[in-house]
Amino acid sequence: MLEFAILGLLHQSPMHGYELRKQLAQVLGGLRSISYGSLYPALKRLHAAGYVTTDEPDPRAPLPADAPPLTGRRGKVVYTITAEGKERFHELVGQAGPETYDDDGLFGVRLAFFRHTAADVRLRILEGRRRTVERQREGLRASLSRTRERLDRYTLELQRHGLESVDREVRWLAELIDRELTDGQGRRDDGATPGDPPAQAPPGP
Amino acid sequence: MLEFAILGLLHQSPMHGYELRKQLAQVLGGLRSISYGSLYPALKRLHAAGYVTTDEPDPRAPLPADAPPLTGRRGKVVYTITAEGKERFHELVGQAGPETYDDDGLFGVRLAFFRHTAADVRLRILEGRRRTVERQREGLRASLSRTRERLDRYTLELQRHGLESVDREVRWLAELIDRELTDGQGRRDDGATPGDPPAQAPPGP
DNA sequence: CTGCCGATGTATCGTCTCGATACATCGATC
DNA sequence: GATCGATGTATCGAGACGATACATCGGCAG
């Protein structure tokens, strides 16, 4: 999930880790921000995989005993996406399987980068997500009606509120899908495959 | 969080790990169930701390080469809360600081065990939670009005939906608080401190 | 009667994420 | 000129998760 989000942000412009984190928090909707303990290891993995490059390549080793209080020499590091990274991002952005909508976090990130996503993929993700959340809702409903009697007031309230939230999400998704279909031919602004023929993608009304 | 939930469940009756997991999933509201990779280590920690005991104390060592296919001899393990465990639970159930409402998961568990919680503590947790979620809401609102122009349709939708959810949670909490105040003198069914004098707890209507 | 399947049940492994923390630099305000 | 908050990089330990292995038991299909 982080991999996708980082590549997506760096796809727009190179950035520091710090800036990356802020943008990430904003894209993720204010709550659910990402910690450095996740971010830097993720960047390290992306670097190792060759998807991003850094400037300031490592001026840390060649100073064994300079001056005790100023050992750091910690430079700012700008991360830039590579050609392989862009390729990887386009590969990821084309996915529309269960992995893209079964996980809350990943679905959110996918949605945040929908403008880089083809219209048919967008639709499949939204519909997959709706199915997933609908299943959750039915499970919740069943469990609630099964155990309504034996639950105390507070647990009941908790479950009622949870059920309502899930229900609201289903309706929200339905509205997004509707809009997707009504607005007709969506387009990605990706720059990749610009001469896409207008056939084959939309299933029609 | 798991510590609290497990002690709370075992406080009602001894259980297998498997049963514990099912009850936990139910109490947590259907979604957000707990995995074995969390449950068993947590039980191990509780056992090490002396808060729970197990039967079947370890019949695994004394069979070095019995029969290759049936080496397991894996017995069912029933976990029972100890006196120290009950004491620990009562200690935890009395807490009402930020740690009880800043984290979604722990707040949910606390709410699920509200019937073991004193009325004044219940109120403080609910009000703390409301403050926390209200702060989230204001942050979200500010961020949204600051960046509304530069966001694309989907990110905007995501944030709008997030904001609405948070807003609904605030109203839900307000309703719970209201009911808490209206219903007047709540009581814990705890069995601890049974001779509680009726003064001092409720702030009055 | 037998063989298989799904529920019950215990347990660990590698991977990831988080919160806390340390360290460092810079601009502004006092 | 000193302190304070924002910017910035990085690691550590605790713990949660998904996957997986292993084991037992009841039922029911062939």
Side-chain angles (χ1 to χ4, degrees), chain A residues 2 33-35 37-38 45 69 71-72 74:
Chain A
L2 259 190
S33 90
I34 221 65
S35 75
S38 312
R45 286 196 298 274
T71 36
R74 186 116 67 177

Side-chain angles (χ1 to χ4, degrees), chain B residues 83-104:
Chain B
E84 290 87 356
K86 290 189 184 188
E87 196 182 330
R88 175 67 175 154
F89 182 67
H90 288 131
E91 183 189 328
L92 289 172
V93 103
Q95 293 185 348
E99 71 279 5
T100 61
Y101 46 75
D102 279 353
D103 177 76
D104 291 29

Side-chain angles (χ1 to χ4, degrees), chain B residues 4 12 24 30-31 41 47 56 60 71 92 118 134 138 141 159 161 182 192 197 205:
Chain B
F4 182 89
Q12 303 170 353
L24 226 41
L31 22 97
H47 187 238
E56 195 89 14
R60 270 159 304 192
T71 36
L92 289 172
E134 269 171 352
E138 299 324 313
R141 258 211 255 277
Q159 305 221 2
H161 182 250
T182 310

